[in-house]
Amino acid sequence: MEWGLLLGFAGACVVLNLVPGPGMMFMIAHGIAGGRRGGIAAALGMATGTIVHTVAAALGLNGLLSTAPAALETVKIIGAVFLLYLAVNTLMSARKSTTPSATRANTRSTLRRTYVSAVLTNLANPKVVLFYFAFVPQFLTPGGWVVSSQILVLGTMLIIIGLIMDGAVGIAAGTFSALLLSKPKFQRRLKELCAVIFGGLALRLFTETT
């Protein structure tokens, strides 16, 4: 593979991660709702989803998904339902006690839910499938390594860059949220905002399935 193509792909990955969108809103919401650990868990979940997409692309399964929309629709519906559950759960949490001990009760189950929701959200994103199906091939070198190997290399770059940038967004949002722990009213409003974001993302996925 040519270094020029790799650098170009890396730059494209950075730009794509910087563009505000549902993914960034998802990271911010989890960082605010779950603190820095919640933001990191969400970033790891997003990276896991990207790993699945990368392996699927290397095996040629993304092309199959694009021609068999029922499978992708099923994943999207599951992701939407899970996001809706998070919206309701976060809203109920906002209406309960907002003491520092209550607002930062990052139990393993809470972080696990954050991780799973991030994986499902990433897997349910048709734009990621389109990215591998239409964008990645432009950076493949004809006559070079085996195509599947090239896709794995490019996918690994996307995973690392995405993990770093998503993690930074999640940690920044979590740090901002931590500064407001002494102000329960603000903390409650932030959680309500997170519930709205989760609900909006769920509605978006439901709309895309119709």
Side-chain angles (χ1 to χ4, degrees):
M1 299 184 69
E2 299 178 6
W3 283 105
L5 286 176
L6 291 176
L7 291 175
F9 182 77
C13 290
V14 172
V15 172
L16 288 172
N17 278 278
L18 285 176
V19 175
M24 183 172 290
M25 293 300 294
F26 181 89
M27 292 302 307
I28 292 174
H30 272 295
I32 292 176
R36 288 184 287 268
R37 287 197 293 173
I40 293 174
L44 290 172
M46 286 291 190
T48 301
T50 307
I51 290 174
V52 175
H53 279 295
T54 299
V55 174
L59 295 176
L61 297 181
N62 272 355
L64 178 61
L65 280 177
S66 67
T67 58
L72 183 59
E73 290 295 301
T74 300
V75 176
K76 287 167 65 176
I77 291 174
I78 294 174
V81 170
F82 203 90
L83 282 170
L84 189 60
Y85 161 76
L86 285 177
V88 174
N89 189 63
T90 303
L91 186 61
M92 291 178 62
S93 176
R95 301 300 169 84
K96 295 178 182 179
S97 174
T98 54
T99 60
S101 59
T103 55
R104 264 316 163 266
N106 274 327
T107 61
R108 289 184 178 180
S109 61
T110 300
L111 295 177
R112 190 180 301 115
R113 285 198 300 270
T114 297
Y115 174 80
V116 171
S117 68
V119 174
L120 290 175
T121 298
N122 186 283
L123 292 178
N125 189 352
K127 293 181 180 178
V128 180
V129 176
L130 181 62
F131 177 83
Y132 277 99
F133 193 62
F135 186 73
V136 170
Q138 301 178 41
F139 294 89
L140 300 178
T141 303
W145 298 353
V146 177
V147 172
S148 58
S149 298
Q150 294 188 56
I151 291 176
L152 289 175
V153 170
L154 295 175
T156 300
M157 292 177 61
L158 177 62
I159 293 165
I160 294 174
I161 293 173
L163 180 60
I164 293 173
M165 299 187 70
D166 285 344
V169 171
I171 291 173
T175 300
F176 171 73
S177 178
L179 294 176
L180 300 178
L181 276 176
S182 59
K183 302 177 180 180
K185 183 178 180 180
F186 283 102
Q187 189 70 18
R188 185 168 58 252
R189 292 291 178 265
L190 282 175
K191 283 197 170 186
E192 290 173 348
L193 175 61
C194 291
V196 171
I197 293 175
F198 291 142
L201 291 174
L203 179 61
R204 172 176 169 271
L205 280 180
F206 274 126
T207 302
E208 289 181 346
T209 59
T210 58

